[in-house]
Amino acid sequence: MYYVKSVDWDQLISDYPPPPLYQDTVGKMSETQIRDLQNRRFLKRVEEAWQVPFYRSLWQEAGLQLSDISCLEDAPRLPMFTTDDLRRAALDRPPFGSHHAFGRDDIPGMPLKMHTSGGTTGMPRMTLFDPVALEVQGIQTARQLYAQGARQGDVLQITYTLSLANAGWCGYLAAHHWLGCMPLTTGAGNVTNSERQLEFAKAVGTNAWFSNPDYLGRLVRVAEDRSFDLHSLPTKFLSTFLGHDPDGKMRRALEEAWNAPLFDNYGSHEVGLVAWECKAGHLHINEDTVHVQICDEAGRPLEDGQFGTAVVTSLHRTTPHFVRYNIRDRLAIYPHTRCACGISSRTLSPMQGRIDQMVKIRGNNVYPTSCKAAINRDPRTNGEYLCVVQYLGEGIGRSLEMTVRVERRNTDIDAQALRQSLEKDLHKDLGLRVEVEIVDPGTLLPFTGEGEKIKRVLDLRNKH
Ligand SMILES: [Zn+2]
């Protein structure tokens, strides 16, 4: 089976138009047109998924029959599921899981690729991609990069490693297959060290970056230490997954350091790039490929503009299907509008955080990553930090506490003064007091790592 023959390319382009075709087709559909398209694809995916053991039992247990689902409005009747259910599905039918229509022993005659979730503990979840699933995530990302300014002949430096995780591949496919940009797949800092990343950027003329915000920050510090002038690079834009940045300070700090606009995006390992930020500052949803509903904990849809958990249905995926998957990311959705950038779609809020990563400290909901803004804006730190979450005390006096370990930029910096001012800033940003511990440069690297996702939380809740 030749891969190039496994895809009807004209059909793919017409079904899921890449840019600039997207701008003249799906990107300017009316609300009714896009709703009709979503409705058709949704019903098709549900009908197919009835044949898959995972969905059949989930839906039958809820007392449903296929005929109960006759339009998109019926979606909330289908029970949602989470990563916990996918983990159980993997145990039911190892290694890929019973949400796939086939297993290791009956792989059908089509080219397949496997990617995994960025799990922090244990074996990551495995997801198979057929050619359409693989190419569409490239098209989704091509729409993102095109809207942010990528054009033929640009060089896109991708600091997500082309590994089992798919972010790097999304950038690679977008640039190489759909944009005529040259992907410079340097990978993360543990693949190409940060100094060499900058040397490549300079030598090749990188003018766009697809990178996580922590790593963009690390490159800023490496550049400063090596007297490398980031402003000497022809950077047009930075494309990243910024996430929670309530006061926009992280964004502004990176934009100033790189002298280029930064764009936020939102996606998931399973359904690909859900939404991308345009030059007018809106996060447009790839509505022909994914249906997003913001729900309460019971799976009931919330009003537009209200924050809740994101429940998604992939409209293009059949290997495997994802129907009413509760990603547990906290988001809000806004109505269909025609944006100043020319695209008409529903839009998303920036991601407020992964609900699973929220920690309840003295009655307050805290996302540990919310610490990064205060730490990054203090020049006495080098931006490296680690939130240690643990129980202190015993019995009735036991409380969950968070200590933030922060690296000072060098050992000449007064640790005591830095600790006091960071504790004050973090109190303001987080709305509660946390303890700060100042450590020397390089101390946290064994915990945070230099990989795909830099770890910022050390959860000791289950340790004694
Ligand atoms: Zn826009």
Side-chain angles (χ1 to χ4, degrees), residues 278 282 284 339 341:
C278 70
H282 292 114
H284 291 284
C339 177
C341 76

Side-chain angles (χ1 to χ4, degrees), residues 18 73 76 90 159 172 188 196 215 228 294 378 393 406 433 438 456:
E73 280 67 33
T159 72
Y172 159 72
R196 190 52 53 82
Y215 194 64
F228 180 101
I294 304 300
D378 194 317
V406 183
R433 283 184 197 286
I438 304 299
R456 295 299 182 195

Side-chain angles (χ1 to χ4, degrees), residues 276-284 338-344 347:
W276 37 266
E277 186 181 2
C278 70
K279 287 183 175 174
H282 292 114
L283 278 154
H284 291 284
R338 185 174 159 80
C339 177
C341 76
I343 300 294
S344 297
T347 57

